[in-house]
Amino acid sequence: LDHLEALRGHLMRSLVALAIGTGIGFTFAGQILDWMAQPIGGIEALQAIEVTESVGAFMKVSLLTGFVLAFPYILLEVFAFINPGLKRRERILLLTSIPVATVLFLCGVAFAYFVMLPAALPFLLNFLGIATVPRPSNYISFTTNMLFWIGIAFTFPLIIFALASVGLVRSGPLLKGWRFAIVGIAVMAAAITPTVDPVNMSLLMAPMIVLYGLGILLAAVAERARQRRVARAEA
């Protein structure tokens, strides 16, 4: 019951932070929507065909903005809830992983916005020579999904490092299985990439392969650190 009472407090504070973030999102939703529409020429390039479509896009952007703003605080609430059950090293690893994961995620979002979208949109909007006027709801869903999943993909090195730190993965098997990794990256790139042409797939595969190599290096570092800890503990 004590744990449930604590969980309720963390959830309520997280909901308050989400409400505050959403309120801020309402204030800047128009500017954010215009920023998201810059790769296709700005918000004036969108065309609504339903009465409530523009309002729905505005609300979705406001909620997403609120979630993004409140997310760091929500992570702190999650950490505060699980903190009593963590060891000192686990606590340090988690606290350092959160800002690193945030930076990697933002790098992925920037890559998707400045590289992937400008390369993919001309292909999609003029496929077979048919000019396409995107709708606000469809474009916002398409853009947010692409930014989110590519941002998640950029956090893979940190995930590999965390798994190696607790002994669940090792750098040796990761290095030996590089061929299977490339096949998996190609499948993932095909699923994430909105187009079917190999150029856009290659734009996503190249950094993911580099990130996989970085993950192997981080796994090796985590292995050595773990081996030193085990040796000290045995001594």
Side-chain angles (χ1 to χ4, degrees), residues 47-101:
Q47 181 175 347
I49 62 174
E50 297 178 2
V51 175
T52 60
E53 190 169 357
S54 299
V55 177
F58 183 89
M59 294 294 294
K60 186 171 185 177
V61 169
S62 300
L63 290 173
L64 287 173
T65 303
F67 179 77
V68 170
L69 293 176
F71 189 66
Y73 181 79
I74 294 174
L75 285 180
L76 289 177
E77 290 290 347
V78 172
F79 175 79
F81 178 69
I82 65 176
N83 181 49
L86 295 176
K87 297 179 181 178
R88 180 177 179 275
R89 183 180 169 278
E90 294 172 338
R91 193 177 295 117
I92 294 173
L93 179 63
L94 185 59
L95 285 176
T96 54
S97 296
I98 291 174
V100 175

Side-chain angles (χ1 to χ4, degrees), residues 1-15:
L1 292 177
D2 291 337
H3 290 300
L4 292 177
E5 186 68 24
L7 178 61
R8 185 179 69 173
H10 292 302
L11 289 176
M12 291 301 297
R13 287 189 291 271
S14 298
L15 289 175

Side-chain angles (χ1 to χ4, degrees), residues 9-28:
H10 292 302
L11 289 176
M12 291 301 297
R13 287 189 291 271
S14 298
L15 289 175
V16 171
L18 181 60
I20 295 173
T22 302
I24 298 174
F26 273 113
T27 305
F28 299 99

